[in-house]
Amino acid sequence: MAMTRREHLAALMAALSAGALASCAGAARTREDRSKQVVVIFGASGMIGRDLAKAVRTAGYIVRGVSRNPDRARADISADYEWVAGDVRDFASVVRATAGATYVVSTVAADQRRGPQAPEFIDWAGNRNLIDAAKAAGVRHFILISSATSGPQADQSQNPASGYVRYFKTKIEGYLRASGLSHTIIAPGRLKYEPGGTTGIRLLARKDYEISTITSGDMGLVVVDCLTNPAARGKAFALRNDDTLQPGAWRVMYAAMPNA
């Protein structure tokens, strides 16, 4: 008989309890070598996810990519990652994918307005599965890739564009805030799928966002920093490229960002 969602969480928490003391001791020690830390990226085979995964791997972490077709992802994207099968709508597969994770990054987004891939089932229910599983697995930090035009700064219930995608992205942000899980919400606008590191990046509150672009490579740099930077904890922000800034200047901008 298949286990229920509650049973999956209970079993995972029971398994983790034996190592709780060791985990606490480990947190007090110097940060471990990144080569031993697993970053699970949901959506790693998508256009956004693959560039973020590349940045995370370049930074020295183990990348565990989650895909509904891991064999194809391994062949088409990178054999240097751990690829595991998973579907965010299937809680059991999410629990398996997050087992042993140090960090979790979610780039998942609906690609249909209606049906099984609609925002209600991917952006909301799917990410809810990821948050619950990550919390139970004891991950150190969770990064949610949202949208610059989503968020509590506007009444998203009155915006039906793309099947209420902004509404469900905003709803899952609220769920993440209430979860107690250490997190950062990164909300890009328009993306250019190009390398990063050559142009300045500006972080800004979403209420101040205007239509602009950010390269996927630059967003990858920010994601890597947010994994471990205490200044990014509990923050939510949009971001864009800004050629009036020096590369790296964005690292001092977290303090001015609103809490997630």
PDB file of all heavy atoms in Angstrom, residues 5 13 37 52 57 79 87 97 100 114 153 165 171-172 179 194 205-206 229 247 250 254 256 258:
ATOM      1  N   ARG A   5       1.169  11.145   2.378  1.00  0.00           N
ATOM      2  CA  ARG A   5       2.086  12.275   2.530  1.00  0.00           C
ATOM      3  C   ARG A   5       2.572  12.381   3.973  1.00  0.00           C
ATOM      4  O   ARG A   5       3.755  12.556   4.244  1.00  0.00           O
ATOM      5  CB  ARG A   5       1.352  13.553   2.111  1.00  0.00           C
ATOM      6  CG  ARG A   5       2.153  14.823   2.230  1.00  0.00           C
ATOM      7  CD  ARG A   5       1.208  16.011   2.054  1.00  0.00           C
ATOM      8  NE  ARG A   5       1.940  17.257   2.032  1.00  0.00           N
ATOM      9  CZ  ARG A   5       2.453  17.819   0.955  1.00  0.00           C
ATOM     10  NH1 ARG A   5       2.331  17.218  -0.198  1.00  0.00           N
ATOM     11  NH2 ARG A   5       3.078  18.973   1.023  1.00  0.00           N
ATOM     12  N   MET A  13      11.397  12.035   9.097  1.00  0.00           N
ATOM     13  CA  MET A  13      11.799  12.675  10.344  1.00  0.00           C
ATOM     14  C   MET A  13      12.379  11.668  11.332  1.00  0.00           C
ATOM     15  O   MET A  13      13.341  11.952  12.037  1.00  0.00           O
ATOM     16  CB  MET A  13      10.595  13.384  10.971  1.00  0.00           C
ATOM     17  CG  MET A  13      10.124  14.603  10.180  1.00  0.00           C
ATOM     18  SD  MET A  13      11.392  15.879  10.024  1.00  0.00           S
ATOM     19  CE  MET A  13      11.477  16.465  11.710  1.00  0.00           C
ATOM     20  N   GLN A  37      28.968  18.804  -0.468  1.00  0.00           N
ATOM     21  CA  GLN A  37      27.636  19.362  -0.248  1.00  0.00           C
ATOM     22  C   GLN A  37      26.771  19.199  -1.500  1.00  0.00           C
ATOM     23  O   GLN A  37      27.205  19.539  -2.605  1.00  0.00           O
ATOM     24  CB  GLN A  37      27.737  20.836   0.145  1.00  0.00           C
ATOM     25  CG  GLN A  37      28.499  21.039   1.443  1.00  0.00           C
ATOM     26  CD  GLN A  37      28.597  22.497   1.834  1.00  0.00           C
ATOM     27  OE1 GLN A  37      28.123  23.380   1.139  1.00  0.00           O
ATOM     28  NE2 GLN A  37      29.236  22.761   2.960  1.00  0.00           N
ATOM     29  N   LEU A  52      21.652  27.714 -13.978  1.00  0.00           N
ATOM     30  CA  LEU A  52      21.901  27.783 -12.538  1.00  0.00           C
ATOM     31  C   LEU A  52      22.720  26.586 -12.084  1.00  0.00           C
ATOM     32  O   LEU A  52      23.629  26.716 -11.257  1.00  0.00           O
ATOM     33  CB  LEU A  52      20.581  27.843 -11.769  1.00  0.00           C
ATOM     34  CG  LEU A  52      19.656  29.017 -12.063  1.00  0.00           C
ATOM     35  CD1 LEU A  52      18.519  29.058 -11.046  1.00  0.00           C
ATOM     36  CD2 LEU A  52      20.396  30.342 -12.087  1.00  0.00           C
ATOM     37  N   ARG A  57      27.673  24.062 -10.032  1.00  0.00           N
ATOM     38  CA  ARG A  57      28.742  23.064 -10.215  1.00  0.00           C
ATOM     39  C   ARG A  57      30.108  23.734 -10.327  1.00  0.00           C
ATOM     40  O   ARG A  57      31.097  23.255  -9.761  1.00  0.00           O
ATOM     41  CB  ARG A  57      28.471  22.216 -11.464  1.00  0.00           C
ATOM     42  CG  ARG A  57      29.469  21.077 -11.639  1.00  0.00           C
ATOM     43  CD  ARG A  57      29.272  20.021 -10.574  1.00  0.00           C
ATOM     44  NE  ARG A  57      30.317  19.009 -10.603  1.00  0.00           N
ATOM     45  CZ  ARG A  57      31.383  19.012  -9.809  1.00  0.00           C
ATOM     46  NH1 ARG A  57      31.564  20.015  -8.935  1.00  0.00           N
ATOM     47  NH2 ARG A  57      32.272  18.052  -9.866  1.00  0.00           N
ATOM     48  N   ALA A  79      26.753  14.979 -17.859  1.00  0.00           N
ATOM     49  CA  ALA A  79      26.959  13.714 -17.162  1.00  0.00           C
ATOM     50  C   ALA A  79      27.725  13.931 -15.858  1.00  0.00           C
ATOM     51  O   ALA A  79      27.971  12.984 -15.116  1.00  0.00           O
ATOM     52  CB  ALA A  79      27.724  12.736 -18.062  1.00  0.00           C
ATOM     53  N   ASP A  87       9.111  14.086 -10.047  1.00  0.00           N
ATOM     54  CA  ASP A  87       8.032  14.917 -10.559  1.00  0.00           C
ATOM     55  C   ASP A  87       7.494  15.680  -9.351  1.00  0.00           C
ATOM     56  O   ASP A  87       7.094  15.066  -8.347  1.00  0.00           O
ATOM     57  CB  ASP A  87       6.935  14.045 -11.173  1.00  0.00           C
ATOM     58  CG  ASP A  87       5.832  14.849 -11.844  1.00  0.00           C
ATOM     59  OD1 ASP A  87       5.499  15.950 -11.353  1.00  0.00           O
ATOM     60  OD2 ASP A  87       5.274  14.376 -12.848  1.00  0.00           O
ATOM     61  N   ALA A  97      14.254  12.487  -3.845  1.00  0.00           N
ATOM     62  CA  ALA A  97      15.221  13.383  -4.486  1.00  0.00           C
ATOM     63  C   ALA A  97      15.929  14.289  -3.495  1.00  0.00           C
ATOM     64  O   ALA A  97      17.086  14.668  -3.699  1.00  0.00           O
ATOM     65  CB  ALA A  97      14.522  14.220  -5.562  1.00  0.00           C
ATOM     66  N   GLY A 100      19.332  13.578   1.859  1.00  0.00           N
ATOM     67  CA  GLY A 100      20.760  13.881   1.931  1.00  0.00           C
ATOM     68  C   GLY A 100      21.154  15.225   1.352  1.00  0.00           C
ATOM     69  O   GLY A 100      22.352  15.525   1.244  1.00  0.00           O
ATOM     70  N   ARG A 114      -3.839  25.507 -18.321  1.00  0.00           N
ATOM     71  CA  ARG A 114      -4.811  24.580 -17.744  1.00  0.00           C
ATOM     72  C   ARG A 114      -4.237  23.173 -17.826  1.00  0.00           C
ATOM     73  O   ARG A 114      -3.291  22.925 -18.547  1.00  0.00           O
ATOM     74  CB  ARG A 114      -6.149  24.656 -18.485  1.00  0.00           C
ATOM     75  CG  ARG A 114      -6.816  26.013 -18.409  1.00  0.00           C
ATOM     76  CD  ARG A 114      -8.109  26.054 -19.217  1.00  0.00           C
ATOM     77  NE  ARG A 114      -8.758  27.354 -19.155  1.00  0.00           N
ATOM     78  CZ  ARG A 114      -8.422  28.395 -19.910  1.00  0.00           C
ATOM     79  NH1 ARG A 114      -7.452  28.266 -20.810  1.00  0.00           N
ATOM     80  NH2 ARG A 114      -9.051  29.552 -19.785  1.00  0.00           N
ATOM     81  N   GLN A 153       3.302  42.635  -3.047  1.00  0.00           N
ATOM     82  CA  GLN A 153       3.196  44.074  -3.251  1.00  0.00           C
ATOM     83  C   GLN A 153       1.963  44.459  -4.072  1.00  0.00           C
ATOM     84  O   GLN A 153       1.632  45.631  -4.191  1.00  0.00           O
ATOM     85  CB  GLN A 153       4.465  44.607  -3.932  1.00  0.00           C
ATOM     86  CG  GLN A 153       4.594  44.298  -5.412  1.00  0.00           C
ATOM     87  CD  GLN A 153       5.096  42.893  -5.674  1.00  0.00           C
ATOM     88  OE1 GLN A 153       5.409  42.160  -4.747  1.00  0.00           O
ATOM     89  NE2 GLN A 153       5.186  42.506  -6.931  1.00  0.00           N
ATOM     90  N   VAL A 165      -0.855  32.615 -12.856  1.00  0.00           N
ATOM     91  CA  VAL A 165       0.492  32.199 -12.472  1.00  0.00           C
ATOM     92  C   VAL A 165       1.063  33.109 -11.386  1.00  0.00           C
ATOM     93  O   VAL A 165       1.703  32.639 -10.448  1.00  0.00           O
ATOM     94  CB  VAL A 165       1.420  32.148 -13.710  1.00  0.00           C
ATOM     95  CG1 VAL A 165       1.615  33.518 -14.337  1.00  0.00           C
ATOM     96  CG2 VAL A 165       2.775  31.545 -13.323  1.00  0.00           C
ATOM     97  N   LYS A 171       1.281  32.887  -3.735  1.00  0.00           N
ATOM     98  CA  LYS A 171       0.763  32.009  -2.684  1.00  0.00           C
ATOM     99  C   LYS A 171       1.856  31.099  -2.143  1.00  0.00           C
ATOM    100  O   LYS A 171       1.976  30.906  -0.923  1.00  0.00           O
ATOM    101  CB  LYS A 171      -0.395  31.182  -3.241  1.00  0.00           C
ATOM    102  CG  LYS A 171      -1.119  30.334  -2.200  1.00  0.00           C
ATOM    103  CD  LYS A 171      -2.319  29.634  -2.823  1.00  0.00           C
ATOM    104  CE  LYS A 171      -3.060  28.795  -1.783  1.00  0.00           C
ATOM    105  NZ  LYS A 171      -4.238  28.098  -2.362  1.00  0.00           N
ATOM    106  N   ILE A 172       2.702  30.559  -3.023  1.00  0.00           N
ATOM    107  CA  ILE A 172       3.748  29.657  -2.544  1.00  0.00           C
ATOM    108  C   ILE A 172       4.832  30.446  -1.807  1.00  0.00           C
ATOM    109  O   ILE A 172       5.460  29.928  -0.864  1.00  0.00           O
ATOM    110  CB  ILE A 172       4.351  28.807  -3.679  1.00  0.00           C
ATOM    111  CG1 ILE A 172       5.124  27.622  -3.093  1.00  0.00           C
ATOM    112  CG2 ILE A 172       5.267  29.622  -4.583  1.00  0.00           C
ATOM    113  CD1 ILE A 172       4.294  26.682  -2.255  1.00  0.00           C
ATOM    114  N   SER A 179       6.809  28.564   6.569  1.00  0.00           N
ATOM    115  CA  SER A 179       7.330  27.220   6.829  1.00  0.00           C
ATOM    116  C   SER A 179       8.397  27.181   7.912  1.00  0.00           C
ATOM    117  O   SER A 179       8.662  26.127   8.499  1.00  0.00           O
ATOM    118  CB  SER A 179       7.913  26.624   5.541  1.00  0.00           C
ATOM    119  OG  SER A 179       9.137  27.274   5.194  1.00  0.00           O
ATOM    120  N   GLU A 194      22.523  33.962 -21.364  1.00  0.00           N
ATOM    121  CA  GLU A 194      23.903  34.303 -21.699  1.00  0.00           C
ATOM    122  C   GLU A 194      24.767  34.137 -20.460  1.00  0.00           C
ATOM    123  O   GLU A 194      24.267  34.153 -19.331  1.00  0.00           O
ATOM    124  CB  GLU A 194      23.990  35.763 -22.182  1.00  0.00           C
ATOM    125  CG  GLU A 194      23.186  36.068 -23.427  1.00  0.00           C
ATOM    126  CD  GLU A 194      23.229  37.546 -23.794  1.00  0.00           C
ATOM    127  OE1 GLU A 194      23.924  38.309 -23.075  1.00  0.00           O
ATOM    128  OE2 GLU A 194      22.576  37.926 -24.778  1.00  0.00           O
ATOM    129  N   ALA A 205      13.773  45.915  -4.698  1.00  0.00           N
ATOM    130  CA  ALA A 205      12.475  45.461  -4.236  1.00  0.00           C
ATOM    131  C   ALA A 205      11.536  45.358  -5.428  1.00  0.00           C
ATOM    132  O   ALA A 205      11.608  46.162  -6.360  1.00  0.00           O
ATOM    133  CB  ALA A 205      11.921  46.448  -3.215  1.00  0.00           C
ATOM    134  N   ARG A 206      10.631  44.380  -5.387  1.00  0.00           N
ATOM    135  CA  ARG A 206       9.756  44.202  -6.540  1.00  0.00           C
ATOM    136  C   ARG A 206       8.811  45.377  -6.765  1.00  0.00           C
ATOM    137  O   ARG A 206       8.383  45.615  -7.887  1.00  0.00           O
ATOM    138  CB  ARG A 206       8.996  42.881  -6.415  1.00  0.00           C
ATOM    139  CG  ARG A 206       9.887  41.708  -6.823  1.00  0.00           C
ATOM    140  CD  ARG A 206       9.177  40.395  -6.747  1.00  0.00           C
ATOM    141  NE  ARG A 206       8.969  39.992  -5.365  1.00  0.00           N
ATOM    142  CZ  ARG A 206       8.452  38.821  -5.020  1.00  0.00           C
ATOM    143  NH1 ARG A 206       8.057  37.962  -5.955  1.00  0.00           N
ATOM    144  NH2 ARG A 206       8.318  38.499  -3.758  1.00  0.00           N
ATOM    145  N   ASN A 229      25.288  32.846   2.081  1.00  0.00           N
ATOM    146  CA  ASN A 229      25.486  34.199   2.610  1.00  0.00           C
ATOM    147  C   ASN A 229      24.398  34.534   3.627  1.00  0.00           C
ATOM    148  O   ASN A 229      23.222  34.641   3.272  1.00  0.00           O
ATOM    149  CB  ASN A 229      25.448  35.209   1.466  1.00  0.00           C
ATOM    150  CG  ASN A 229      25.908  36.591   1.903  1.00  0.00           C
ATOM    151  OD1 ASN A 229      25.808  36.954   3.079  1.00  0.00           O
ATOM    152  ND2 ASN A 229      26.401  37.374   0.957  1.00  0.00           N
ATOM    153  N   PRO A 247      30.796  44.752 -11.617  1.00  0.00           N
ATOM    154  CA  PRO A 247      30.454  43.372 -11.247  1.00  0.00           C
ATOM    155  C   PRO A 247      30.821  43.116  -9.789  1.00  0.00           C
ATOM    156  O   PRO A 247      31.901  43.479  -9.332  1.00  0.00           O
ATOM    157  CB  PRO A 247      31.315  42.540 -12.200  1.00  0.00           C
ATOM    158  CG  PRO A 247      31.523  43.422 -13.395  1.00  0.00           C
ATOM    159  CD  PRO A 247      31.637  44.809 -12.822  1.00  0.00           C
ATOM    160  N   TRP A 250      26.645  44.133  -6.284  1.00  0.00           N
ATOM    161  CA  TRP A 250      25.355  43.667  -5.751  1.00  0.00           C
ATOM    162  C   TRP A 250      25.491  42.989  -4.397  1.00  0.00           C
ATOM    163  O   TRP A 250      24.519  42.888  -3.639  1.00  0.00           O
ATOM    164  CB  TRP A 250      24.700  42.710  -6.740  1.00  0.00           C
ATOM    165  CG  TRP A 250      25.569  41.541  -7.128  1.00  0.00           C
ATOM    166  CD1 TRP A 250      26.469  41.513  -8.151  1.00  0.00           C
ATOM    167  CD2 TRP A 250      25.630  40.269  -6.498  1.00  0.00           C
ATOM    168  NE1 TRP A 250      27.092  40.291  -8.195  1.00  0.00           N
ATOM    169  CE2 TRP A 250      26.597  39.506  -7.199  1.00  0.00           C
ATOM    170  CE3 TRP A 250      24.972  39.690  -5.417  1.00  0.00           C
ATOM    171  CZ2 TRP A 250      26.915  38.191  -6.849  1.00  0.00           C
ATOM    172  CZ3 TRP A 250      25.283  38.384  -5.063  1.00  0.00           C
ATOM    173  CH2 TRP A 250      26.247  37.650  -5.782  1.00  0.00           C
ATOM    174  N   TYR A 254      21.978  43.388  -0.169  1.00  0.00           N
ATOM    175  CA  TYR A 254      20.978  42.574   0.529  1.00  0.00           C
ATOM    176  C   TYR A 254      20.288  43.337   1.662  1.00  0.00           C
ATOM    177  O   TYR A 254      19.086  43.205   1.890  1.00  0.00           O
ATOM    178  CB  TYR A 254      21.625  41.325   1.122  1.00  0.00           C
ATOM    179  CG  TYR A 254      22.115  40.311   0.132  1.00  0.00           C
ATOM    180  CD1 TYR A 254      23.463  39.945   0.096  1.00  0.00           C
ATOM    181  CD2 TYR A 254      21.252  39.683  -0.761  1.00  0.00           C
ATOM    182  CE1 TYR A 254      23.923  39.007  -0.791  1.00  0.00           C
ATOM    183  CE2 TYR A 254      21.716  38.739  -1.655  1.00  0.00           C
ATOM    184  CZ  TYR A 254      23.061  38.401  -1.675  1.00  0.00           C
ATOM    185  OH  TYR A 254      23.517  37.462  -2.556  1.00  0.00           O
ATOM    186  N   ALA A 256      19.316  46.264   1.999  1.00  0.00           N
ATOM    187  CA  ALA A 256      18.235  47.160   1.611  1.00  0.00           C
ATOM    188  C   ALA A 256      17.031  46.428   1.046  1.00  0.00           C
ATOM    189  O   ALA A 256      16.003  47.044   0.771  1.00  0.00           O
ATOM    190  CB  ALA A 256      18.756  48.167   0.563  1.00  0.00           C
ATOM    191  N   PRO A 258      13.712  43.949   1.037  1.00  0.00           N
ATOM    192  CA  PRO A 258      12.676  43.606   2.028  1.00  0.00           C
ATOM    193  C   PRO A 258      12.770  42.149   2.450  1.00  0.00           C
ATOM    194  O   PRO A 258      13.323  41.311   1.720  1.00  0.00           O
ATOM    195  CB  PRO A 258      11.374  43.874   1.265  1.00  0.00           C
ATOM    196  CG  PRO A 258      11.733  43.724  -0.178  1.00  0.00           C
ATOM    197  CD  PRO A 258      13.146  44.211  -0.290  1.00  0.00           C
TER     198      PRO A 258
END
